[in-house]
Amino acid sequence: MINRKRLANYGWIYYVLVLTFLLIIGLTGCGGTPPVTSPSSNGLPVTEPAIVIPDSPPEQPIMTPGGTEVEVESGQKLAITADASGAKRYEWTLQGDGELSATTGPAVLYTAPETDTIAIITVTAYNDQGASPSTSVTIKVSGVAAIRLDAVGIPAGWMSGKNDPVSFIEVKGGEQSECREGSSCLRFTYKVGASWNGILWWPLKCGDTGDEATWKKVKEGTCGVNVLDAGGNLTAINNLTFWARGDKGGEVIEFKVGDVAIPPSPGRGLGKATLTTGWEQYQIDLEGMDLTNAIALFTWVASDIDNPQGAVFYLSEIQFEGAK
């Protein structure tokens, strides 16, 4: 026989247990972590937003400038950026010549070298979950079109205030320790006593010595060279550049291309340059100059007045620069 009084007592207990369970579920958000609360300025609790932790590596970076290849001129600087969703840091690598600024941020600076080359820049994005697929861009560096002076001329035109320049000028190749790193150079010694001395570079077909017959051809303009053709079909020549330094510093030397009486005429130069012991690059503007029948390709001149103790100086990488 069922005890109705005992059954009623069990029903009441069951009712209390159900209410307690429902209350717990409501407070815990259906079994999840209770939201974090903090007091607001008015004293009421404010629920903080939940922190979302990425559960996958970053997306593949998008680079700017984009595309598969970017062209820059030699010596130019190029800013490159990358954007990857979910990234915390970036890793940049450079294959080839040039320089890349060191950074783990979304931007780098690439400095192109002074010669024609191709470089590849690659970026990969990272976060705590791993790495993204890499993105690369090819950098094509267009160097300055140039032809070295020794490819079109020789320093055979020795000049002096007296008849025998050999007594006042010495020329020899510089030692490795005297030249620019990675380059050769010429060492010139100027001796006082002739008032002035100098050397003129002219085309080989003018002659390899400065005898009277050679000077006659030079002054008549019959042994010139078209520097544009000799430079590999250049369309223009804009400058002659060279590096120079003095042995002691303070040497005063005049540099020029062309001459009043020898083509290209009337000639252009820097005036008198005072050299230092450190290598410096110099530039003579040749834009618009007619170099189709050039004989006085390059000249240096020094004087006793400017160099009363004589002078020793060095020249390196003398070249015509232009465009193809």
Side-chain angles (χ1 to χ4, degrees):
M1 183 175 180
I2 298 175
N3 189 328
R4 296 182 179 275
K5 182 176 181 181
R6 181 177 294 178
L7 182 61
N9 288 337
Y10 287 149
W12 178 82
I13 293 172
Y14 175 77
Y15 178 73
V16 171
L17 290 174
V18 171
L19 288 178
T20 302
F21 176 72
L22 292 175
L23 180 61
I24 291 173
I25 291 176
L27 291 175
T28 60
C30 297
T33 304
V36 179
T37 59
S38 59
S40 65
S41 58
N42 57 13
L44 297 175
V46 177
T47 301
E48 298 289 344
I51 299 175
V52 179
I53 301 176
D55 57 1
S56 61
E59 296 180 357
Q60 184 174 9
I62 298 174
M63 296 179 71
T64 303
T68 57
E69 185 175 280
V70 176
E71 291 191 13
V72 299
E73 295 181 359
S74 59
Q76 181 178 341
K77 296 182 183 295
L78 176 67
I80 303 174
T81 62
D83 182 27
S85 178
K88 286 189 174 182
R89 65 181 179 87
Y90 295 83
E91 180 180 281
W92 299 84
T93 58
L94 170 65
Q95 294 176 274
D97 297 327
E99 296 181 2
L100 195 66
S101 59
T103 179
T104 57
V108 291
L109 188 66
Y110 172 71
T111 303
E114 295 294 337
T115 56
D116 289 346
T117 190
I118 291 179
I120 299 175
I121 296 175
T122 302
V123 61
T124 306
Y126 290 85
N127 62 17
D128 295 338
Q129 278 63 51
S132 72
S134 298
T135 302
S136 298
V137 62
T138 299
I139 308 295
K140 182 179 180 181
V141 181
S142 301
V144 175
I147 179 170
R148 293 180 67 96
L149 176 63
D150 54 18
V152 291
I154 58 175
W158 290 32
M159 304 173 291
S160 176
K162 292 189 175 180
N163 293 331
D164 186 12
V166 175
S167 301
F168 302 97
I169 301 174
E170 291 181 2
V171 182
K172 69 176 185 177
E175 301 291 337
Q176 184 177 358
S177 60
E178 297 172 325
C179 300
R180 291 186 70 228
E181 184 177 356
S183 300
S184 61
C185 68
L186 291 174
R187 184 181 192 269
F188 298 90
T189 300
Y190 169 88
K191 300 177 181 179
V192 298
S195 179
W196 65 273
N197 299 294
I199 292 181
L200 183 155
W201 277 252
W202 58 43
L204 180 58
K205 67 179 181 179
C206 291
D208 57 3
T209 60
D211 58 23
E212 186 175 345
T214 299
W215 275 106
K216 185 175 184 296
K217 287 194 296 183
V218 167
K219 292 178 180 178
E220 289 174 349
T222 59
C223 57
V225 62
N226 187 334
V227 180
L228 282 80
D229 288 346
N233 296 318
L234 299 181
T235 60
I237 291 177
N238 301 320
N239 306 293
L240 180 134
T241 63
F242 61 96
W243 291 81
R245 76 173 184 89
D247 187 60
K248 296 181 179 179
E251 297 85 353
V252 179
I253 314 294
E254 182 179 0
F255 301 101
K256 58 184 178 179
V257 174
D259 190 75
V260 174
I262 304 173
S265 300
R268 297 182 190 177
L270 299 176
K272 296 179 179 180
T274 301
L275 306 182
T276 67
T277 56
W279 284 102
E280 294 185 30
Q281 188 178 40
Y282 296 85
Q283 176 177 296
I284 299 176
D285 180 12
L286 302 181
E287 189 170 358
M289 175 177 275
D290 183 3
L291 294 167
T292 58
N293 183 42
I295 295 178
L297 300 171
F298 179 68
T299 304
W300 69 259
V301 176
S303 70
D304 291 1
I305 293 177
D306 295 325
N307 303 275
Q309 304 301 317
V312 175
F313 63 98
Y314 304 85
L315 295 178
S316 178
E317 299 167 86
I318 312 170
Q319 62 184 21
F320 294 94
E321 297 181 353
K324 289 186 177 182

